Amino acid sequence: MAAHWRILLRFRSATQALIIFTFCLTVIHSLGNDVDNCDKLRLGQYQCKEPKIDDATQEPENCKDRLAWVECLPAPNVSCRLSNGTMSKFSGGEVGFNKSIPCRNVSGYSYKVAVALSLFLGWIGADRFYLGYPALDFWHPFSPSITHKKYFMLALCFNSRDLRNR
């Protein structure tokens, strides 16, 4: 009977030692790997600058392939790994990484041409086709809108005036 108790005590002490070892290993691992890449920082650990907006397009100046890049500054006393692999502790004034933001590619189109197409050929959707929205252009003539009703009323007025003068 005493041998049975000794086996249970050995098993219990071995289990406690295993639990303590696992706990220590977890603490050491979490303390050693708390530094992550700068681009993986959590919200609140960095602040991104506002992009420079182009007055003509009202979109970021460096918009390419529907993405624009902004500079982000990690918060003071945040340590992270830069893209080149070096560790850095930031004071809040240095750029740590660049983040992409979505934007529209609106360059290459003339505002004056788009307005002229909208005024003269807007009833068939030529302005939308010019601006690169062919799906909207395809459905535009088939959708009843206020604009279509205006054109229809103008056509009726001119036709009825023409009929009276004959």
Side-chain angles (χ1 to χ4, degrees), residues 71-99:
E71 295 177 336
C72 296
L73 304 119
N77 298 323
V78 169
S79 295
C80 62
R81 200 173 309 277
L82 296 174
S83 60
N84 61 7
T86 59
M87 281 290 299
S88 184
K89 186 171 184 176
F90 293 91
S91 64
E94 306 95 355
V95 175
F97 61 98
N98 292 329
K99 184 177 179 182

Side-chain angles (χ1 to χ4, degrees), residues 34-72:
D34 65 343
V35 177
D36 211 1
N37 289 340
C38 289
D39 56 351
K40 304 250 193 268
L41 290 175
R42 293 183 182 96
L43 193 63
Q45 291 182 322
Y46 65 91
Q47 182 177 10
C48 294
K49 294 180 179 179
E50 292 292 323
K52 294 179 183 176
I53 304 295
D54 186 14
D55 290 333
T57 62
Q58 294 300 308
E59 290 293 325
E61 288 181 350
N62 59 353
C63 182
K64 291 180 184 170
D65 298 327
R66 297 189 182 265
L67 289 177
W69 295 92
V70 293
E71 295 177 336
C72 296

Side-chain angles (χ1 to χ4, degrees), residues 88-137:
S88 184
K89 186 171 184 176
F90 293 91
S91 64
E94 306 95 355
V95 175
F97 61 98
N98 292 329
K99 184 177 179 182
S100 64
I101 57 170
C103 64
R104 296 178 299 153
N105 294 344
V106 293
S107 60
Y109 300 112
S110 170
Y111 177 75
K112 293 177 183 178
V113 171
V115 169
L117 286 172
S118 179
L119 287 174
F120 298 111
L121 297 174
W123 59 278
I124 58 171
D127 56 337
R128 294 178 181 174
F129 187 77
Y130 170 73
L131 291 173
Y133 302 109
L136 289 176
D137 179 48

